[in-house]
Amino acid sequence: MQTNPTHPTHTSLVAVGDSFTEGMSDLLPDGSYRGWADLLARRMAARSPGFRYANLAVRGKLIGQIVDEQVDVAAAMNPDVITLVGGLNDTLRPKCDMERVRGLLTEAVERLTPACGQLVLMRSPGRQGPVLERFRPRMEELFACVDELAQRHGALVVDLYGAPSLADPRMWDVDRLHLTAEGHRRVAEAVWQTLGYAPEDTEWHTPMEATLPPGWVTRRVADARFAKRHLLPWIGRRLTGRSSGDGRPAKRPELLPYEGPAA
């Protein structure tokens, strides 16, 4: 993880991406999602009166859609910080043109870099299990591109993929695709530190204490529930060309003063 040696005060943040940046599955009582970007904005706002925040992320978006729908909007806002996380949804598709993904990610970085004070990229976290192993080569190809672009354009990289704590299945929601509230809290801490702020949790990357694994019956019941509620609908959307984000607006489309979500 790269860190800035200073302790900056930023006045604006724009978050670009998919469900990870939208905040799924950090569910609030009113049914909306909070997530790491909101938590990060709350911390930054506490240090900078009048701090402004926009979150353009929409669940299910592929890197091409992020480039077409979010990049120019974010660039026009000219914020102090832009976070860009995209491409992972592409790698999870049965057919994925990684050359195209790399090209689109490069285009996004080239358009966003001159439009902000600091661009932040991420190596997304990966949950331990067979899904990660199946798609690991594509993911690591994507992250190699992230590292190369960051070096070339002066972006910061938050290495969540290399954090043992975020690989723990207990950090992931029942859909096995999105982080829990605790996972999002740790991501916010990681980005906070990468931007150069003093750590509030120096152990965010440290794994949780080991516990006895659930029994065979409990695991099979969980597998069946996962397949019915999450896997089969996900497969259905892939087969019909639909996305969970179809028709959804950006989470916070305007760069406005922000007081922050509940802690």
Side-chain angles (χ1 to χ4, degrees):
M1 179 177 67
Q2 302 173 27
T3 58
N4 190 325
T6 65
H7 297 280
T9 299
H10 298 102
T11 62
S12 53
L13 167 68
V14 175
V16 174
D18 51 33
S19 60
F20 174 67
T21 301
E22 183 184 344
M24 297 176 70
S25 289
D26 185 5
L27 191 65
L28 293 171
D30 65 359
S32 64
Y33 292 108
R34 181 176 51 181
W36 66 265
D38 283 13
L39 293 170
L40 177 65
R42 176 176 62 84
R43 290 192 187 185
M44 297 170 77
R47 291 192 172 217
S48 178
F51 178 84
R52 297 175 301 151
Y53 169 55
N55 189 326
L56 307 180
V58 178
R59 67 194 67 173
K61 293 300 182 181
L62 302 173
I63 186 61
Q65 294 170 311
I66 291 173
V67 170
D68 291 342
E69 300 167 14
Q70 300 179 33
V71 166
D72 283 346
V73 177
M77 294 177 176
N78 293 120
D80 286 349
V81 178
I82 295 178
T83 63
L84 167 63
V85 187
L88 197 63
N89 282 334
D90 298 79
T91 69
L92 299 177
R93 296 293 177 108
K95 294 182 180 180
C96 175
D97 182 347
M98 286 303 300
E99 182 177 357
R100 179 174 182 273
V101 170
R102 293 194 307 271
L104 287 166
L105 185 60
T106 299
E107 179 182 347
V109 169
E110 290 177 344
R111 286 157 63 178
L112 291 174
T113 299
C116 65
Q118 181 63 66
L119 180 64
V120 178
L121 307 175
M122 299 188 201
R123 293 161 56 91
S124 305
R127 180 185 184 276
Q128 291 176 352
V131 173
L132 175 62
E133 294 309 313
R134 178 180 178 184
F135 296 105
R136 187 187 295 276
R138 289 180 183 174
M139 292 171 61
E140 293 186 347
E141 184 176 349
L142 175 67
F143 300 154
C145 181
V146 166
D147 290 341
E148 179 184 347
L149 289 170
Q151 184 174 13
R152 189 188 314 162
H153 296 280
L156 298 175
V157 177
V158 187
D159 185 13
L160 306 173
Y161 181 71
S165 62
L166 296 176
D168 190 323
R170 292 172 294 176
M171 286 287 181
W172 296 75
D173 191 51
V174 293
D175 66 2
R176 305 182 184 182
L177 288 173
H178 301 105
L179 292 170
T180 62
E182 174 60 14
H184 279 282
R185 184 196 69 78
R186 295 192 183 214
V187 172
E189 178 67 34
V191 183
W192 174 260
Q193 292 184 27
T194 301
L195 284 168
Y197 293 99
E200 296 186 11
D201 175 11
T202 59
E203 302 297 326
W204 70 267
H205 58 283
T206 302
M208 299 170 63
E209 291 187 9
T211 59
L212 290 175
W216 186 89
V217 173
T218 300
R219 296 199 303 272
R220 297 295 79 75
V221 170
D223 288 344
R225 185 181 297 116
F226 160 72
K228 180 178 180 180
R229 295 183 181 178
H230 303 287
L231 181 59
L232 292 178
W234 183 85
I235 292 174
R237 290 194 297 271
R238 298 292 80 75
L239 292 175
T240 57
R242 294 179 293 115
S243 167
S244 57
D246 288 347
R248 288 186 177 274
K251 179 177 182 177
R252 185 180 171 89
E254 297 181 75
L255 188 61
L256 296 173
Y258 187 70
E259 296 179 356

